[in-house]
Amino acid sequence: MSPYRQSLRDRQVASIERILNLNHASPETSLTHHDPSTASGLIPEATPILNSDGDPIWKVLVFDNLGRDVISSVLRVNDLRGWGVTIHLNINASRHPIPDVPVLYLVEPTAANLDLINSDLSRNLYSDAYINFLSSIPRPLMEDFAGQIAGSGTSESVAQVYDQYLNFIVSEPDLFSLGMGKETYWTLNSAQAKDEELDAVVERIVSGLFSVVVTMGAIPIIRCPRGGAAEMIAAKLDRKLRDHILNSKDNLFSNHGQRASAATGTPSSRPVLVVIDRSVDLIPMLSHSWTYQSLVHDVLKMNLNRITVESPTDDNDLSKGTTKRAYDLNSNDFFWSRNAGVPFPQVAEDIDAELTRYRDDAEKIKKKTGASSLEDLPNDTSSSAQHLKAAITLLPELRERKATLDMHMNIATALLKGIKDRQLDNFFQIEENITKQTKAQILEVLNDDAKGKEPLDKLRLFIIWYLSTEQEISRADMDRFEETLTKANCDITALAYVKQVREITRMTMMTSAPSQPAQQSTSTELFRGFSSISNRLTDRFKDGALGANFENLISGVKNFLPANKDLTVTKITESLMDPASASSSAIAKTENYLYFDPRSANARGTMPAPSQARHQQSNMPGGIGQGMTASFGQKRQGFSEAIVFTVGGGSTYEFSNLQDWAKRTSGGNVSSGVGAGMGPTRRVVYGSTDLVNAEEFITSELARLGREN
């Protein structure tokens, strides 16, 4: 078995643990503890440093909004308590003095945050202050802060000041975003955005990518298309990495957590960072995907791994209405970790299988102890002490499994309701063969309420078809489509901009044809995992009320398994990671991608002007310096690890597609099932400026750009 490779999430958690331990490296805080084969929880058993009396050092954690998002995506309240954090507060909230407890700050290095920290020090809110910045603090700000605390006489209260390079949010083990909001694509593509705004966005992206690279402990080869924001970001990141390596005596890539071969070895042993403009392919941002994670993101509006679901107040009496429940979904959830990227019908079957397994395990315990139910076990005096002890030991794990399955049942119920209400199965079926749809067929769908009543879903379908079809669309055709969309209550403001994008994406999109047609079951076999739920063990379902509700929900919903096809970003990644296996069309699209190696004296270039960020995928050589065009050997160089970053928004659909490709083409030691490749084990980390769902992308980005046109 190959050694465990730490994910980006593993490494970020290890960095946060060190911060919570007041930046003391603990032997227990080793990256190997995050090997899922040896650790059962999110964090290993807490080993906080102790004071002179041998007691844990309790502390207050103060963060800003980004610090909160970074921590909340990977840690829970109990995890923080394990490291001695008694209370956590937002730096902008009103806070009361706790003068005998040290404070740990995790904030962005902004003037406003520094003023608030200085105010805390002046008012003696806490004892010692351990200040951790999410990214490197600019020297002028640091000098101003030093002057402020020196003037107020509070410098002795500052115990530590660290740059931590953690200004990115990890949602899944190999999925991250920079948390830049829902308007980045607009800023990078709007003629109304000022150069200062563009510069600020580019600098924030460069800072975030620098932090990701530092956390992964490897200096990458950087590849990007010519022109647009991607080139500017790649050039600035190359410059930042190059300057850091040259000017830092003990640089961040020489620390203990770094992989030596990746930092100092040959280019092929290092990862490749692929920076791509979002406009290369807008379709994943709008698609009606059929995977569990994508449906949760689309239907339930998942944000920072948290969703809110309406579920019955009383499962046995649906007339009592519903109540809202908030759930956190992360890789610590065994069911989510296994099924996030799986087609929804298979998720239904897995819930059924897990409930069966739970029932069997519970029955075994009840037979051994003679108890009538698991709830009676702690009070059962008739069982032998040995059996009772064994049963009670297993009880917490069983209860946790039951709670997890109950949660996913509620989520699946909400998804089924959304699928049926919005006819998402119909949209998914059409989009699976979108290039085969004629103008008449698309018009029929837009006109037919029975094929979906949600206006935004129809607009999404039309834009996907419009960007995919190779048919010529005349002005008269477009007028007819716009009139039909307007009658369907669609806001067609975004189409003015989409028309411009079509000319770009028709040349850059490379979605492969399905290797097999989408599979569909007959209506009598739909979601057989769900249809049998009413007969399953858990008390919440066995009376049949919720089971009957499922029967109503699944009636008429199609059971599809998506076809295997690679999206444009996946094809680009394949052509750069495995050029020997990539298609000639993919190779042709990336043939002129620029090449940066921060460790090389040659593979570098001059900095593009800020306004060039608006020029999408330009073939003009503006700003190109010698050494940035890859040689033939560099173009055909393969990689086993990649960081793929989309500038202007990311999609869970795109992330799942990349992970599927990596599993499918990796060596046999990857759990990719039948058809695993014979090549090296491949790993792809996917990131973006922010994870944006289709509704946000259309209303906040495309419609705003459309109004400008």
Side-chain angles (χ1 to χ4, degrees), residues 60 62 89-91 93-103 105 116-129 154 157:
V60 175
V62 176
L89 302 163
N90 194 296
I91 195 169
S94 176
R95 290 171 283 121
H96 299 290
I98 313 178
D100 57 341
V101 176
V103 61
Y105 291 97
L116 289 169
I117 293 173
N118 186 46
S119 173
D120 291 351
L121 296 172
S122 301
R123 293 184 292 148
N124 293 317
L125 285 190
Y126 314 103
S127 60
D128 293 339
T154 56
S157 297

Side-chain angles (χ1 to χ4, degrees), residues 414-425:
L415 289 180
L416 276 170
K417 186 176 185 303
I419 289 169
K420 187 166 186 181
D421 289 347
R422 292 169 53 184
Q423 299 289 301
L424 297 182
D425 50 336

Side-chain angles (χ1 to χ4, degrees), residues 463-595:
I463 295 175
I464 290 169
W465 175 78
Y466 181 65
L467 294 176
S468 304
T469 185
E470 296 181 2
Q471 304 172 51
E472 288 300 322
I473 301 175
S474 65
R475 179 170 293 184
D477 291 332
M478 198 65 192
D479 289 343
R480 193 179 308 114
F481 282 119
E482 290 181 357
E483 181 183 351
T484 304
L485 287 166
T486 303
K487 286 182 180 178
N489 297 318
C490 299
D491 180 356
I492 61 171
T493 309
L495 294 183
Y497 178 74
V498 172
K499 292 174 187 176
Q500 297 182 2
V501 173
R502 184 172 190 254
E503 299 307 315
I504 302 168
T505 56
R506 287 182 77 184
M507 295 189 298
T508 58
M509 281 171 46
M510 296 179 293
T511 303
S512 67
S515 58
Q516 59 185 31
Q519 303 170 28
Q520 179 184 355
S521 302
T522 62
S523 59
T524 57
E525 300 173 353
L526 302 184
F527 297 100
R528 64 176 180 270
F530 283 131
S531 62
S532 61
I533 283 296
S534 60
N535 299 320
R536 294 302 169 189
L537 169 75
T538 52
D539 296 334
R540 302 181 58 237
F541 311 127
K542 71 179 182 181
D543 290 337
L546 190 56
N549 190 41
F550 262 102
E551 295 294 343
N552 293 330
L553 283 172
I554 65 174
S555 61
V557 177
K558 298 182 179 67
N559 182 12
F560 287 110
L561 295 179
N564 290 328
K565 62 179 180 181
D566 293 333
L567 301 175
T568 296
V569 169
T570 303
K571 299 295 285 185
I572 289 172
T573 303
E574 180 183 36
S575 71
L576 296 174
M577 286 187 75
D578 188 18
S581 303
S583 66
S584 57
S585 62
I587 293 289
K589 299 299 182 186
T590 58
E591 192 72 8
N592 294 320
Y593 268 42
L594 303 177
Y595 184 100

Side-chain angles (χ1 to χ4, degrees), residues 243-272:
D243 289 347
H244 174 75
I245 295 166
L246 292 175
N247 299 329
S248 301
K249 195 172 185 180
D250 183 18
N251 70 65
L252 294 164
F253 299 94
S254 60
N255 291 335
H256 62 87
Q258 168 200 314
R259 298 166 295 173
S261 62
T264 59
T266 60
S268 59
S269 67
R270 292 153 56 188
V272 59

